[in-house]
Each structure stands twice: as C-alpha cells, then as structure tokens.
Amino acid sequence: MKWRPVDCHAHSTYSDGALAIPQVVERAAALGVQPSLADHISRDVARAISSIDEVRAYLDELERYDVLRGGEFCWHDALWRELPDDLVARFTHRIGSLHAVRLPNDTLVHAFARRLPIDLTPEDYMRAHLASLEQLAREMPVDILAHPTLVTLPYRSLGTDRLWTEEHEARMIEAMYQAGIAFEISNRYPPHERIVRRAVERGVRLSLGSDGHTRDQVANIAKPLAMARALGVADEDLYDPRRHGSKTQQTQQTPSGGR
Ligand SMILES: [Zn+2]
Ligand SMILES: [Zn+2]
C-alpha cells in the first residue's frame, strides 16, 4: 500500500476541537493522510478529557473507527501519572506537552499566560523551560514532544535567536534523543529549521502534527512534511506508531516498569 503521512496530533470535540471524531477521519481521508486523534487529557486545560472514566470513554469511541488513538498530556498535570496500565496500553501513541514550565521556586508559568512573574527574565524562563523539558524526558513515557519550541505567550515575539541559544537547542535535542522521544514538526507552532536540522543530525525521529482544531486545520500537514523532506528525511522514517511502535506497548509488557 502507498505510504501516507500520519497526522499524529489532532483535536476533536472530546477536547477543544470543532470536529467530531468521524469528521476528523473523513477530513484526513480527503487529504490522503492517516488520521489520529490526540485530544487533551489533563485537568489543566479548559476543555479536555479530565478523568480516568472519561479517558476510558474516549478510547471506547476511538476503537470504533480506523484511527490511531493518541492523547496530548500536560507534563505539569498529574493525570498521566494516574492512568492504569490497561488504559495506557489501548493508546497507539502518546504526546507530552510543556503547557507550563516549573520555576525553581515551584511556581508554574503557563504557555498561554497573559502576565508573567514580575522579576522573571526571558533567560530565567528559558532555563526553567529546559529544566522542565529534561524532567519530562526522564519521567514521562511519551512518544512525541508536541510543539517543542512553544514558549509562553509574552515571550513569543522575542525571536528565535534570543530564546534558542545553541546550548538550549543542544540540551533539548539530547534529552529527546536519550529518551527516544520524537520531535514534532507542528503546523500550528512551526519550529525554526535550525533546531529541526539539529534533531535530524542527532538521530531524533520527526513526527508530523497539524495540532488542528478546525476543519481547515485538521490533517493539514503539508508544510511539516515539506520541511522534513527538505531536511532529507525519508518519508518512512517519519513517526508512525504502526511502523515504529510506542511506549504504550512497553507499559503493557512491564506493568511495574518505568512509570
Ligand atoms: Zn499543545
Ligand atoms: Zn494540541
């Protein structure tokens, strides 16, 4: 069968998306893309799957369709730590997100914060961002890091070179490499090419994600795919849970390990 790209990261009405699951599946088919859902599973997102019973109902529903079963978990929220292994094993893949980073004084800075702690500098924030990312990579059994270059809203206008020093990029990529976590090329929060090239050169797998919430966005991964190809990555090497496996299956085999 002809290779088709996977949109590993799309939202439905189970969290904050606009389309029902069958509409996501239909939209992906129309674009020649393998569909997968990755709804928010968190107690710290306004519209999200936020309990273990709701996770079970979501998976029951996904299993009715020919669709990959993903979830987007906030690292800073504890729900992912509480899922029983039998539920984890029903995901085809899982995505971790730094929707908040932890400062040394233990306060959280959210990605969508309007205001920041008054004495915080961008350099402090990026140090905390990298430390949080390294902790995520050590402890969170996910296959993909969502939108790796997403930073808190007030700092997004600062520019890539101020935020992403060579040291920051190298630390991020090394943590992902050591943990076996794929780097998402997000259509919603596109990474700068230099950091993606660094990921490729280190041997970190790439993953394509629309992070789509609407009909126009879901399964729209043409730009991420073009970027991966421009960096010389073979289509078959782009993350596909069916081809490359997932940590969710390892959880099934070693129920006591790694969580
Ligand atoms: Zn996200
Ligand atoms: Zn998302």
Side-chain angles (χ1 to χ4, degrees), residues 151-160 163:
V151 298
T152 191
L153 199 51
Y155 289 158
R156 282 182 211 167
S157 57
L158 287 180
T160 296
L163 296 170

Side-chain angles (χ1 to χ4, degrees), residues 9 11 40 72 97 99 146-147 150 189 211:
H9 184 165
H11 294 273
H40 290 289
E72 182 181 13
S97 285
H99 289 141
H147 39 64
L150 177 72
Y189 304 107
D211 206 350

Side-chain angles (χ1 to χ4, degrees), residues 1-8 25 28-29 32-37 62-70 89-94 143-144 182 205-207 235-249:
M1 199 182 136
K2 188 172 160 283
W3 178 84
R4 287 184 307 156
V6 187
D7 177 13
C8 287
V25 173
V33 168
Q34 294 188 59
S36 93
L37 273 297
L62 289 178
E63 283 169 356
R64 298 175 57 219
Y65 302 93
D66 182 18
V67 65
L68 292 162
R69 300 178 298 278
R90 292 169 65 190
F91 286 92
T92 53
H93 62 292
R94 294 197 294 170
D143 304 295
I144 300 168
R205 195 178 295 287
L206 301 183
S207 171
D235 289 347
E236 293 76 12
D237 288 338
L238 296 170
Y239 181 61
D240 177 341
R242 289 188 173 117
R243 187 186 289 263
H244 303 114
S246 163
K247 291 174 186 169
T248 61
Q249 266 64 49

Side-chain angles (χ1 to χ4, degrees), residues 2 16 25 40 45 63 91 124 130 137-138 141-143 149 157 159 169 202 248 254:
K2 188 172 160 283
D16 54 357
V25 173
H40 290 289
V45 173
E63 283 169 356
F91 286 92
D124 295 335
L130 267 297
R138 276 196 304 274
V142 293
D143 304 295
T149 55
S157 57
E169 290 188 358
R202 185 65 181 100
T248 61
T254 53

